[in-house]
Amino acid sequence: MLEEQLNQLYEGYGYRKFRMSKFEDYDLYAQNKDFLKKGHIITFTDVDGSLKALKPDVTLSIIKNTREGEASPRKVYYNETVYRSGKGDEAFQEILQTGLECIGDLDLYHLYEVIALAVESLAAISPDYVLDVSHVGLVSGFMEAAGVEEADYPEVMAAVRA
């Protein structure tokens, strides 16, 4: 029921469902190791000899499947299984992951929309939630949009941290 509720929420904002295969060419992840938090990836050799991976991430596949010249922004959501190792040396886990991506030329509204959808998603899961927006680029962008003088950034950042 929760998955359907979230699907309806995202579709109401114009997001389309993204579906992908369980397998991806290993090269995609090898070329983007810095993006992945951990380098542990389950790999196997396909019948044609190519190296495949059980997907540890969805975002890279969405970016790979975004065509140049496609209408921007591209708004997609997903309910996909990813395969990651646990904390420390724990065994690999199969994890159902729900999320969305808004890719392309984004304005302040799109940033607001993504954050608002995060809030609504968390509220649908539990009324007792905490949203932690910690990307310094977002905070800088909000300060710039609010007209905060660059000289005042350290003071504002100290207030945000407090």
Side-chain angles (χ1 to χ4, degrees):
M1 283 179 46
L2 178 60
E3 183 177 322
E4 184 56 36
Q5 183 181 356
L6 293 175
N7 291 353
Q8 288 177 2
L9 172 65
Y10 305 148
E11 288 172 7
Y13 280 84
Y15 287 74
R16 293 185 334 259
K17 187 160 193 163
F18 180 83
R19 288 192 169 91
M20 63 181 288
S21 168
K22 289 192 184 310
F23 315 125
E24 186 72 73
D25 289 330
Y26 174 75
D27 287 348
L28 176 65
Y29 303 116
Q31 294 167 0
N32 294 283
K33 282 186 179 181
D34 292 343
F35 181 80
L36 301 172
K37 289 182 179 145
K38 294 184 180 180
H40 306 294
I41 300 171
I42 301 172
T43 60
F44 63 95
T45 305
D46 204 350
V47 294
D48 66 359
S50 63
L51 189 60
K52 297 286 186 182
L54 286 175
K55 63 179 183 269
D57 178 76
V58 180
T59 301
L60 288 173
S61 294
I62 291 172
I63 292 169
K64 179 185 115 180
N65 288 292
T66 298
R67 294 178 268 332
E68 204 167 311
E70 188 171 342
S72 185
R74 180 172 188 212
K75 296 164 61 169
V76 297
Y77 72 94
Y78 55 87
N79 302 298
E80 293 284 340
T81 302
V82 295
Y83 304 89
R84 294 189 184 145
S85 58
K87 294 179 180 169
D89 291 330
E90 291 180 25
F92 280 97
Q93 300 172 358
E94 182 179 41
I95 303 166
L96 178 60
Q97 187 176 57
T98 297
L100 58 82
E101 301 289 340
C102 189
I103 300 169
D105 294 325
L106 307 180
D107 57 22
L108 199 53
Y109 171 80
H110 294 107
L111 294 176
Y112 164 79
E113 179 180 87
V114 169
I115 293 169
L117 285 168
V119 168
E120 290 189 53
S121 298
L122 290 169
I125 294 166
S126 168
D128 186 29
Y129 68 88
V130 174
L131 176 66
D132 181 2
V133 178
S134 60
H135 190 288
V136 74
L138 284 175
V139 176
S140 308
F142 287 139
M143 288 192 295
E144 185 179 320
V148 175
E149 297 292 327
E150 196 168 332
D152 295 330
Y153 278 21
E155 184 179 348
V156 173
M157 289 302 290
V160 168
R161 279 192 287 280

